[in-house]
Amino acid sequence: METIANVALYETEKLVIDKDIQSILKRGLSDDDDAIVREAVRTNASLLSLELRGAKYPSGVFLLYPTPSQMSQQLAPRLDVDIIFVHGVTGCPKGTWRWGPEMSDSTKQGCWASDWLPVDFPSSRIISIGYEIFLSSWFGTGIPLIHQSKIVIDKLKLASVGDRPIIFITHSFGGLLVKEMLRYASRDKRYKKILDSTIGVVFYSTPHFGSDLTHYRKGYADSIFRGNSVVDDLTPSQSLIDLNTQFPEFASHVATLSIGEGVSCFGTRFSCIQIVPDESANPGWQPLSQHRFTKFDTDHRSVCKPETKTDPRYTVVVDWMHELMKDKSKE
């Protein structure tokens, strides 16, 4: 299914009239495997775009809303904003944004990015970015932050991101990725439209100044842990300080909402740590009217997983986004 989705980027007209492909797509959209469903949706999005005509969805770019059925029935709404989700280390396009109590089978849980947000923002296009990122070389190699940002921004450009206002919603490393991506856009005129169109960024537990957790890989632990370039990018460094200092300069028009976390426990209450400490989760930008910081008493993984629609982990973000869109409409 992933191969078909990639072919749809360049052979749209041929696939639209191919009855076999349409049959495969129909089966894919109802498959029990969430990964197959995501690729089928990505294919359909490339084939059926109406108002989104010209937008293509390369590997790792998943359209959550409008749905393929809305697009095929010409029910897609007028779009006022692109809301783009970017997960962090070991995250995924939907699982990172799930809602409800944690279950042993996370595939059975809902995703608030696709279940709740379209109701609160019916005139939005909602996209979730997926990319492989691991802390340990045991599970996969890591692509350095600066290179990963270039890969993602190229894909967003292909999806016609930049044609309308943009709000990014990020978790952990995903926030660093968006910051680096916007810095890159400020230096390359091919992507400047993406920077200029960005009006806000939500940072759930983003380690703006790095995470002390990376120090556990030193010495003996590193021989077991086998850290990669991702661990290097998350280690407190001058490069992270520079990126944080420069952000309000190259993105002076962008509003931000940064969210801190409580502690994460591993095994027992005696092994609890704050993966992203407050001093790293809070970028310290001014003025506070443009750059807000708040904190939820939840662990690192759960900070972006509200249990209900009245959970502050959802309402605080949605209220901030509504305020942002209201201010944008006055311009």
Side-chain angles (χ1 to χ4, degrees), residues 12-31:
T12 304
E13 294 182 3
K14 291 181 180 179
L15 293 188
V16 166
I17 61 175
D18 191 316
K19 293 182 179 180
D20 291 334
I21 293 296
Q22 295 302 318
S23 177
I24 293 173
L25 274 180
K26 187 175 181 180
R27 293 198 302 272
L29 289 169
S30 59
D31 199 277

Side-chain angles (χ1 to χ4, degrees), residues 2 44 56 58 61 78 113 118 120-121 125 139 147 154 164 166 178 184 189 209 211 226 231 234 250 307 322 330:
E2 183 178 1
N44 245 8
K56 300 295 181 181
V61 179
R78 180 179 61 85
D120 288 306
F121 294 91
R125 176 174 64 153
F139 302 103
H147 299 309
D154 269 329
R164 59 186 63 84
I166 305 165
V178 168
Y184 181 63
K189 62 182 181 181
F209 299 101
S211 171
R226 292 187 63 186
V231 173
L234 288 169
F250 63 72
E307 293 198 2
H322 276 304
K330 295 178 181 178

Side-chain angles (χ1 to χ4, degrees), residues 15-74:
L15 293 188
V16 166
I17 61 175
D18 191 316
K19 293 182 179 180
D20 291 334
I21 293 296
Q22 295 302 318
S23 177
I24 293 173
L25 274 180
K26 187 175 181 180
R27 293 198 302 272
L29 289 169
S30 59
D31 199 277
D32 292 333
D33 189 327
D34 189 54
I36 293 177
V37 173
R38 287 202 305 267
E39 295 298 338
V41 169
R42 185 164 68 90
T43 304
N44 245 8
S46 291
L47 299 182
L48 301 176
S49 291
L50 295 174
E51 183 175 334
L52 307 178
R53 186 172 291 118
K56 300 295 181 181
Y57 297 88
S59 176
V61 179
F62 302 98
L63 180 65
L64 303 184
Y65 177 80
T67 64
S69 61
Q70 289 171 319
M71 290 163 50
S72 63
Q73 297 173 38
Q74 301 189 30

Side-chain angles (χ1 to χ4, degrees), residues 53-319:
R53 186 172 291 118
K56 300 295 181 181
Y57 297 88
S59 176
V61 179
F62 302 98
L63 180 65
L64 303 184
Y65 177 80
T67 64
S69 61
Q70 289 171 319
M71 290 163 50
S72 63
Q73 297 173 38
Q74 301 189 30
L75 297 175
R78 180 179 61 85
L79 304 180
D80 295 328
V81 61
D82 280 344
I83 302 174
I84 302 174
F85 288 80
V86 186
H87 66 74
V89 175
T90 69
C92 62
K94 296 191 75 173
T96 294
W97 316 106
R98 69 172 187 263
W99 61 268
E102 187 167 357
M103 300 170 60
S104 57
D105 184 359
S106 61
T107 61
K108 295 181 179 179
Q109 292 186 258
C111 169
W112 62 266
S114 56
D115 295 345
W116 297 348
L117 215 55
V119 177
D120 288 306
F121 294 91
S123 297
S124 66
R125 176 174 64 153
I126 303 175
I127 292 173
S128 191
I129 301 299
Y131 59 103
E132 289 190 350
I133 176 170
F134 305 98
L135 279 177
S136 171
S137 296
W138 288 111
F139 302 103
T141 58
I143 299 176
L145 177 63
I146 189 169
H147 299 309
Q148 189 73 265
S149 69
K150 293 177 182 179
I151 293 171
V152 172
I153 200 170
D154 269 329
K155 293 181 176 183
L156 292 180
K157 188 172 184 291
L158 192 58
S160 297
V161 171
D163 289 350
R164 59 186 63 84
I166 305 165
I167 298 175
F168 287 99
I169 300 180
T170 71
H171 177 238
S172 194
F173 184 88
L176 298 180
L177 178 60
V178 168
K179 287 168 66 177
E180 185 63 63
M181 185 176 67
L182 293 179
R183 179 166 66 174
Y184 181 63
S186 73
R187 298 171 175 175
D188 191 322
K189 62 182 181 181
R190 293 175 299 172
Y191 307 102
K192 193 171 185 301
K193 187 165 70 168
I194 293 178
L195 170 62
D196 292 344
S197 298
T198 300
I199 61 173
V201 184
V202 177
F203 297 102
Y204 280 104
S205 292
T206 291
H208 295 283
F209 299 101
S211 171
D212 290 333
L213 181 65
T214 58
H215 291 313
Y216 283 94
R217 77 184 182 97
K218 301 299 182 183
Y220 175 72
D222 193 40
S223 64
I224 301 174
F225 186 68
R226 292 187 63 186
N228 54 30
S229 64
V230 175
V231 173
D232 294 334
D233 286 329
L234 288 169
T235 301
S237 65
Q238 186 60 46
S239 62
L240 287 180
I241 294 174
D242 291 343
L243 177 59
N244 195 71
T245 301
Q246 294 167 16
F247 183 84
E249 298 172 359
F250 63 72
S252 59
H253 63 289
V254 177
T256 66
L257 173 62
S258 297
I259 299 170
E261 65 187 39
V263 297
S264 299
C265 296
F266 305 91
T268 71
R269 63 186 178 88
F270 299 107
S271 55
C272 297
I273 61 172
Q274 197 175 25
I275 293 178
V276 180
D278 293 351
E279 56 269 25
S280 188
N282 186 351
W285 298 320
Q286 299 287 339
L288 296 180
S289 59
Q290 180 181 353
H291 302 291
R292 302 180 189 177
F293 176 76
T294 190
K295 179 180 176 180
F296 301 135
D297 189 22
T298 55
D299 63 41
H300 186 73
R301 291 180 68 250
S302 301
V303 71
C304 57
K305 296 176 176 62
E307 293 198 2
T308 67
K309 279 198 75 172
T310 59
D311 191 317
R313 286 173 287 183
Y314 181 73
T315 59
V316 168
V317 172
V318 168
D319 290 346

